[in-house]
Amino acid sequence: MSDSGPTQLKKTCMSLVVMVLAGVLLSRWTAEPVVPLVLAAALLALAVLKARLVVLDFLGLRAGPRALRIGLLAWPVLFALAAATKALIAAVPLGG
């Protein structure tokens, strides 16, 4: 846990709950046959923001080594970019 105190952790926890609920609502809309890429990008952005909060506050790295923070935040960004690339490739019609 972070050294920032229980108040900060409660705020972070509430932020995570709000982001999860927003993700659930967005995923309901993206279940349609034609998935809007903007909604998919919003879901990926929420995932990266949640990972950032977990790394900084719950892993206690807000005041930790910069290299470790960057590495742990780059990991979900890498997967989000891979998922976005896959969604863009699937959205482009084949044939000419």
Side-chain angles (χ1 to χ4, degrees):
M1 290 280 190
S2 176
D3 295 333
S4 59
T7 304
Q8 177 63 36
L9 290 178
K10 286 179 186 175
K11 288 179 184 177
T12 300
C13 186
M14 290 307 298
S15 298
L16 288 171
V17 168
V18 168
M19 284 190 236
V20 166
L21 293 175
V24 168
L25 291 174
L26 283 174
S27 67
R28 293 260 185 191
W29 287 332
T30 58
E32 299 298 322
V34 179
V35 178
L37 292 177
V38 175
L39 293 178
L43 279 171
L44 292 173
L46 279 173
V48 170
L49 289 173
K50 288 186 291 188
R52 180 183 180 275
L53 286 176
V54 168
V55 166
L56 293 180
D57 290 331
F58 287 98
L59 292 180
L61 293 177
R62 194 168 287 277
R66 186 171 192 264
L68 185 59
R69 277 191 320 240
I70 290 172
L72 286 173
L73 293 173
W75 190 248
V77 169
L78 174 73
F79 282 109
L81 289 175
T85 303
K86 182 179 176 185
L88 284 174
I89 289 172
V92 173
L94 295 177

